[in-house]
Amino acid sequence: MAEWSHEQKALQRLLLGAAAIGCLWDFLLYGKEFGISYLLFVIAMYALYGWQARWHGQLSFSRKHVYAWLLTVPIVLLASSFALFSNGYFQLLNFALVPLLFVIQTMLLTGRHKAKWYEPGFVGELLEMLFSFTLKHTRLPFALTREWLKGRMNQEKYGVLKKVLIGVGISLPILFVVLTLLSQADQVFGHFLREMPGRMIDLDAIEGAFRLFLIGLVTILVFGYLYSLFGKREEAVEIPLPPKEGKLVWDGVILVTVLSIIDFVYAAFTYVQISYLFSGDKATLPDGLTYAEYAKNGFQELVLVTVINFVILLCTMYLVSQTKRLLYRVVQVLLTALTVCTSFILFSAYYRLSLYEQAYGYTHSRLLAHIFMIFLLILFVIALCKIWRHTLSLMKYYAVVSLVSYVLLNYINMDVIIAKNNMERYHATGNIDVAYLGRLSYDVVPYLLELKEDESLREHAVYYLENKREELLANRSWQSFNLSKHRARQLLQLP
């Protein structure tokens, strides 16, 4: 009995904390643009987790948990991006990625996993935590409320209340069908029925009920997840599996033949690129093909070839046999040559896109393409290390590099880079797309003000500045504070 009392007290504490998080969600985020509020909400989640971890004796800062605690850095940085930048390009993804990283971190800290975080099995455990254990434990607040009512009401009154609630639940679908039929049978009654909700229920009351529903939903989801971390869990039943078959391997001779042919083609392509693309107008091109057209064409195809090579590289590394050492060394050399040639293909695509931007301007998609190629190059470098060091875990380093790259992508401020490069191109060529610049975030306000001084572009620049002025005046809640918008207000001299 004492053990149940202690567990009930723990459940009550957790439910109280989860309810506070639900109310905070409503206060900080409901009906407001995301700003500093998102970071504050994440900090509150950390506070609730720390409180529960300490209560259960699982708050640890040992060396074993160093990598898990390091996840706090990208989580806080991504949450802070809502308060620092006004570019909405990554906000939806960040909104989903931050809680996902928080779930991964807390699973690692509490040891609620068996597979290592960079192994495929961890993904299954993550999904099980979110969609099995968490949802299953959302019923506990209702059971806790039932027990609380039982303790404060005698059995007779509790039985009556229970029967009344069951009766209401049964009558609602019946009422829905009956009222629908009666309103169709009598138009006067139907008119009265349609008018009655508007007279009896205030619209603000409906919104209030919806907000209470959201608070309750957030509360039970947070409760269910945290209970899944710290509460009792039934031991998993080991399912008997058939013995594993031998690892699938590719024949070494076939691999050497395929890789040799591919490497020969890429070597020829590299020679052509050096002869024509990087030599400028000095080289003789085929009839009817100008150097400008030659430089602009083929970017997408080269990136696609790079992705294909990446798949070939990964498949070969995992399916090649190491039993014949000499043949395996030949495969390693050929894979290294493939990596080097692919790196040159990436450089060629990067160079072509740069020439295209100089001719047609800078945009989000073109900048992201540049970044994606740099990211692919880093992945190839890691793969090159894997070729010669078989024990290296690709998934581990790829996951770390991907997360670091994504956080950096949020913080390079793409809109400023695009605006700055387009302004430099404007000063050099006199060409600029003011409409595209005006559709970017509030970080481009200084550049629009600069274009305002140009007589030929003043009308367009003023139009987009006025649009941003109206948007800035629309929402002034402190929860939506954003540094980028604050700077724009100062430049536009808004209160």
Side-chain angles (χ1 to χ4, degrees):
M1 190 69 181
E3 184 180 350
W4 163 244
S5 178
H6 178 76
E7 184 179 352
Q8 193 176 35
K9 189 175 181 180
L11 288 174
Q12 289 172 351
R13 283 172 172 260
L14 177 55
L15 184 57
L16 181 65
I21 289 293
C23 294
L24 195 64
W25 167 273
D26 178 78
F27 176 67
L28 291 176
L29 301 173
Y30 180 82
K32 304 175 184 71
E33 292 183 5
F34 286 180
I36 197 172
S37 55
Y38 196 79
L39 176 62
L40 294 176
F41 183 78
V42 170
I43 293 173
M45 284 297 300
Y46 270 113
L48 178 60
Y49 168 79
W51 178 45
Q52 285 296 305
R54 186 176 179 183
W55 171 262
H56 290 86
Q58 295 190 36
L59 189 61
S60 172
F61 297 95
S62 63
R63 291 184 61 184
K64 184 177 71 173
H65 295 133
V66 168
Y67 288 109
W69 280 115
L70 281 176
L71 277 175
T72 308
V73 177
I75 289 173
V76 171
L77 287 175
L78 292 177
S80 301
S81 67
F82 290 93
L84 296 175
F85 310 110
S86 56
N87 180 4
Y89 213 81
F90 303 106
Q91 284 191 355
L92 182 60
L93 184 56
N94 290 348
F95 177 76
L97 186 59
V98 168
L100 179 62
L101 291 175
F102 180 80
V103 169
I104 293 173
Q105 181 186 39
T106 50
M107 282 181 63
L108 295 174
L109 289 173
T110 53
R112 288 296 201 183
H113 63 100
K114 293 182 179 178
K116 294 179 180 179
W117 63 267
Y118 49 86
E119 293 177 346
F122 185 80
V123 177
E125 293 180 318
L126 176 66
L127 295 175
E128 184 183 36
M129 171 66 79
L130 292 175
F131 298 106
S132 178
F133 292 118
T134 297
L135 295 180
K136 182 175 70 175
H137 293 140
T138 54
R139 72 179 189 271
L140 287 176
F142 302 101
L144 191 63
T145 304
R146 185 181 66 231
E147 293 298 324
W148 182 83
L149 287 173
K150 273 186 178 181
R152 281 158 178 76
M153 299 175 66
N154 59 48
Q155 290 300 312
E156 185 180 352
K157 289 182 178 179
Y158 176 76
V160 172
L161 177 62
K162 184 178 178 180
K163 291 176 182 178
V164 169
L165 292 176
I166 293 173
V168 171
I170 295 173
S171 64
L172 285 177
I174 298 174
L175 273 176
F176 176 77
V177 175
V178 169
L179 288 175
T180 302
L181 293 174
L182 289 177
S183 61
Q184 291 176 351
D186 191 305
Q187 294 184 359
V188 176
F189 180 77
H191 175 76
F192 174 76
L193 199 63
R194 288 190 294 271
E195 291 291 325
M196 188 170 58
R199 295 178 180 179
M200 296 179 60
I201 304 175
D202 189 3
L203 290 177
D204 291 338
I206 295 177
E207 183 184 3
F210 178 69
R211 293 175 70 171
L212 284 174
F213 167 75
L214 288 181
I215 291 172
L217 181 63
V218 172
T219 298
I220 63 171
L221 288 177
V222 171
F223 178 94
Y225 174 68
L226 290 178
Y227 185 83
S228 300
L229 288 178
F230 300 110
K232 294 181 179 179
R233 183 184 294 184
E234 299 175 0
E235 292 294 329
V237 178
E238 293 292 335
I239 301 174
L241 298 174
K244 291 184 178 180
E245 300 179 359
K247 178 184 175 183
L248 177 66
V249 295
W250 286 353
D251 183 80
V253 176
I254 296 176
L255 273 178
V256 169
T257 305
V258 172
L259 291 175
S260 298
I261 295 172
I262 293 175
D263 285 348
F264 176 78
V265 173
Y266 288 152
F269 177 82
T270 300
Y271 172 77
V272 172
Q273 294 297 288
I274 294 174
S275 302
Y276 289 94
L277 183 60
F278 302 114
S279 61
D281 294 323
K282 296 178 181 179
T284 303
L285 293 172
D287 294 337
L289 183 64
T290 65
Y291 179 72
E293 293 171 345
Y294 180 74
K296 288 186 293 183
N297 292 335
F299 160 73
Q300 294 179 347
E301 290 79 3
L302 291 179
V303 174
L304 182 59
V305 167
T306 301
V307 174
I308 292 173
N309 291 350
F310 188 67
V311 174
I312 293 174
L313 183 65
L314 293 181
C315 292
T316 304
M317 283 192 297
Y318 280 107
L319 298 178
V320 65
S321 173
Q322 300 184 40
T323 53
K324 298 179 180 179
R325 300 303 298 172
L326 179 60
L327 202 58
Y328 180 67
R329 289 298 181 196
V330 174
V331 171
Q332 284 180 305
V333 172
L334 291 173
L335 285 177
T336 302
L338 177 66
T339 304
V340 173
C341 289
T342 304
S343 300
F344 190 85
I345 290 174
L346 273 175
F347 180 74
S348 175
Y350 191 96
Y351 183 69
R352 288 170 184 261
L353 184 58
S354 298
L355 294 174
Y356 189 83
E357 285 175 323
Q358 291 174 14
Y360 296 99
Y362 301 82
T363 63
H364 278 132
S365 58
R366 292 163 195 169
L367 180 59
L368 285 172
H370 275 301
I371 296 170
F372 177 67
M373 285 185 282
I374 296 173
F375 175 69
L376 275 179
L377 182 61
I378 296 172
L379 297 187
F380 270 102
V381 170
I382 297 174
L384 183 61
C385 298
K386 170 72 173 178
I387 292 171
W388 297 98
R389 187 181 174 186
H390 187 69
T391 57
L392 185 142
S393 173
L394 272 183
M395 292 302 298
K396 180 179 180 179
Y397 288 98
Y398 277 5
V400 172
V401 168
S402 299
L403 182 57
V404 171
S405 301
Y406 181 74
V407 173
L408 289 176
L409 185 59
N410 275 266
Y411 274 78
I412 61 173
N413 205 337
M414 290 200 306
D415 286 9
V416 171
I417 295 174
I418 292 169
K420 190 177 294 184
N421 286 334
N422 278 319
M423 290 298 292
E424 290 177 359
R425 176 174 172 268
Y426 167 66
H427 292 311
T429 64
N431 297 322
I432 191 169
D433 187 349
V434 183
Y436 183 81
L437 204 65
R439 290 194 296 270
L440 299 179
S441 67
Y442 298 98
D443 290 307
V444 302
V445 167
Y447 304 99
L448 289 174
L449 290 172
E450 183 179 343
L451 291 175
K452 183 182 174 183
E453 302 302 319
D454 190 317
E455 187 68 32
S456 60
L457 301 174
R458 180 174 299 170
E459 183 179 351
H460 290 86
V462 168
Y463 172 77
Y464 290 106
L465 284 171
E466 286 299 321
N467 285 347
K468 295 193 179 299
R469 188 190 301 271
E470 293 175 5
E471 293 170 1
L472 288 170
L473 290 172
N475 195 333
R476 296 298 304 274
S477 64
W478 70 266
Q479 293 97 327
S480 303
F481 174 81
N482 178 278
L483 185 60
S484 172
K485 294 180 180 179
H486 176 69
R487 290 171 179 166
R489 283 193 183 97
Q490 290 182 322
L491 290 171
L492 296 174
Q493 300 179 348
L494 295 177

